[in-house]
Amino acid sequence: RFHPWAVVLPMVVIGVLAWLLMGRAAPVFEAKADVQVGETEAQRSFDQDRGNDAAELANERRFAKSDTVLDELRIRLGPGAPDDLDSLNLDVEIDDTADILIFSALASSAAEAADRANLYANVFVDERRESAVAGYSGAIELIEQELEDIRSERIEVRTDLDAVIIKLAPLAADSPQRPLLEEERATLESRLAPQLTFLDNQEAAFIENLSSLRISQSLAQTGTASIASAALPETDPLPNAGTRALIIGEVVGLIMGLILAVTIHNMDDKIRATGDVERYFPDLPVLGAIPYESAVRKNRELTVLAAPHSSFAESIYQVRTSLRFMTLERGVRLVVVTSANPSEGKTTFSSNFAWALAGLGEPVVFIDGDLRRPVGHEHFGVELAPGLTDLVIDSRPLSSVSTT
């Protein structure tokens, strides 16, 4: 059996509680600061291959949420600052249509929200600049070291050739040793030329890269990110959270209510309809269903006699017919009517059923076996005594305790 109250009650209770709790919350103000993370005109004119697509914006957002930025932010906020952005009520989103990061802050006052949003944006800009400059500095150091290695290798390669040149320097043009040394120098120059040319080309390429990095480092110092629009205090707070809390509470209440209703339904083992009987007792036939009518029980009259065309009387006839069809081969001489609990309509049904059987011309004996609260005699308008107890205890003859 479905219990609507199990669904409605949690929805109402949880929804109202959520609305009361959130509806009384202090007003919340939001402020937003925009940071341009695209390249400057000077950077674009120097580095034309660099883009700032969605992936790069996502990287910038990750950097804005990194520990590097968060640590500096906590330092500027002072002792006692929370450890994460959620606790600080700070967030950053992407506006990829304009290469902009939107830094937002929530606070109980408009001024505090604006200050925090601007602080977060400025910390990001400063840390982004320092990170870019540090990155270029590291690259410059690596290239300078490579240049030193190339120059050292070049000196080592030219060792023998430079020794011959040194020997040739003091000799006169007509010196007998000079032709031999000239020939040795030419041989060394021819053999070392490919290696020296390669080292010279490497040195030239590294020098060009070093020059480019130094220019980029100078440009980065002017800023790889800048405040496009500072946060200003808002005059109106965010919409009250009560309505949103009410909706969320109703949804949560609905889910909990459905779970409760299903649980109650699965735990309910009461027999309420014909289908329940067929489900719990598949081997027993169902003869019919008798409607519950309080007026029939209160009046204690034979409804099949007083109202033979009523729904109650029709249900009695259906049980009578079903029983006769089931027992065509073997006649039924005894029908016992019982139930698990008192006041479930045993006497009302059995008295009307007995009258319905008698209506077919069958001889019927109605025995009221309820020894605690017998009311069967009232349905037939006869006296209670003598009755079944007198028959059993006093051993009276059946004719002395029966009424026709």
Side-chain angles (χ1 to χ4, degrees):
R1 180 183 178 184
F2 182 72
H3 299 273
W5 61 266
V7 178
V8 175
L9 185 60
M11 287 181 61
V12 174
V13 173
I14 296 177
V16 171
L17 287 177
W19 181 79
L20 289 176
L21 291 176
M22 299 302 296
R24 296 181 179 181
V28 177
F29 292 86
E30 183 180 28
K32 296 181 179 181
D34 296 341
V35 173
Q36 178 75 44
V37 291
E39 298 172 324
T40 63
E41 291 295 333
Q43 289 172 322
R44 276 193 292 270
S45 63
F46 175 72
D47 188 3
Q48 296 181 359
D49 294 333
R50 182 179 176 180
N52 194 14
D53 55 15
E56 291 175 347
L57 280 174
N59 290 334
E60 297 288 357
R61 183 174 182 266
R62 279 192 288 271
F63 179 76
K65 292 190 169 196
S66 66
D67 291 338
T68 301
V69 175
L70 188 56
D71 290 342
E72 178 62 23
L73 184 60
R74 285 200 298 266
I75 292 174
R76 298 193 191 185
L77 286 173
D83 295 333
D84 57 271
L85 291 177
D86 291 336
S87 300
L88 289 168
N89 290 324
L90 298 175
D91 196 12
V92 57
E93 298 297 335
I94 295 175
D95 180 3
D96 52 8
T97 62
D99 295 340
I100 281 179
L101 293 181
I102 303 172
F103 292 81
S104 61
L106 300 176
S108 57
S109 70
E112 182 182 0
D115 290 342
R116 290 205 167 193
N118 287 328
L119 177 62
Y120 187 15
N122 283 314
V123 168
F124 168 77
V125 170
D126 294 342
E127 292 300 317
R128 190 69 188 85
R129 180 184 300 115
E130 291 181 9
S131 175
V133 172
Y136 285 122
S137 297
I140 289 173
E141 290 178 2
L142 288 175
I143 290 182
E144 287 178 342
Q145 182 62 48
E146 290 291 340
L147 279 173
E148 290 182 7
D149 294 342
I150 290 173
R151 288 164 180 167
S152 298
E153 184 179 357
R154 191 172 186 277
I155 291 173
E156 183 178 352
V157 169
R158 288 183 57 91
T159 300
D160 294 341
L161 179 60
D162 290 339
V164 172
I165 292 174
I166 292 173
K167 290 178 182 179
L168 280 171
L171 296 178
D174 56 352
S175 171
Q177 297 178 352
R178 192 172 187 85
L180 294 176
L181 291 175
E182 289 283 359
E183 183 180 356
E184 184 180 358
R185 184 180 71 175
T187 301
L188 288 172
E189 286 179 345
S190 175
R191 180 167 59 85
L192 297 176
Q195 191 172 0
L196 290 174
T197 300
F198 174 75
L199 291 174
D200 290 341
N201 292 335
Q202 271 196 321
E203 182 180 16
F206 277 118
I207 290 175
E208 182 179 358
N209 289 336
L210 182 61
S211 176
S212 299
L213 286 173
R214 284 173 175 165
I215 294 174
S216 297
Q217 184 183 43
S218 299
L219 293 174
Q221 290 175 348
T222 64
T224 56
S226 59
I227 303 295
S229 175
L232 298 175
E234 296 288 341
T235 56
D236 298 323
L238 293 175
N240 191 286
T243 302
R244 180 182 178 187
L246 177 61
I247 296 175
I248 296 176
E250 294 294 342
V251 173
V252 174
L254 175 61
I255 295 173
M256 294 183 63
L258 290 174
I259 294 174
L260 179 61
V262 171
T263 302
I264 293 175
H265 175 75
N266 291 336
M267 294 178 63
D268 186 4
D269 56 358
K270 294 182 180 180
I271 296 177
R272 303 178 184 276
T274 304
D276 296 331
V277 178
E278 295 173 344
R279 182 169 64 253
Y280 293 123
F281 307 102
D283 297 331
L284 297 179
V286 178
L287 300 179
I290 309 301
Y292 176 84
E293 295 184 8
S294 59
V296 173
R297 300 185 60 186
K298 289 180 180 179
N299 294 336
R300 291 179 181 173
E301 63 180 4
L302 294 174
T303 306
V304 293
L305 181 60
H309 301 294
S310 64
S311 60
F312 181 84
E314 291 293 339
S315 66
I316 296 293
Y317 301 149
Q318 179 184 356
V319 174
R320 181 188 65 182
T321 303
S322 299
L323 183 63
R324 288 176 63 85
F325 272 111
M326 290 181 59
T327 59
L328 287 176
E329 296 182 359
R330 53 185 179 87
V332 174
R333 300 185 58 82
L334 179 64
V335 176
V336 179
V337 180
T338 186
S339 69
N341 298 311
S343 301
E344 290 189 336
K346 296 182 292 293
T347 304
T348 302
F349 168 77
S350 58
S351 60
N352 280 274
F353 184 62
W355 189 270
L357 289 174
L360 296 177
E362 300 284 349
V364 179
V365 177
F366 173 80
I367 302 174
D368 188 353
D370 189 345
L371 302 182
R372 295 184 59 191
R373 292 182 295 180
V375 293
H377 62 285
E378 297 181 8
H379 288 270
F380 293 97
V382 298
E383 296 295 329
L384 175 61
L388 179 61
T389 305
D390 300 304
L391 177 66
V392 175
I393 296 177
D394 298 337
S395 300
R396 293 187 181 187
L398 179 61
S399 59
S400 65
V401 296
S402 61
T403 302
T404 301

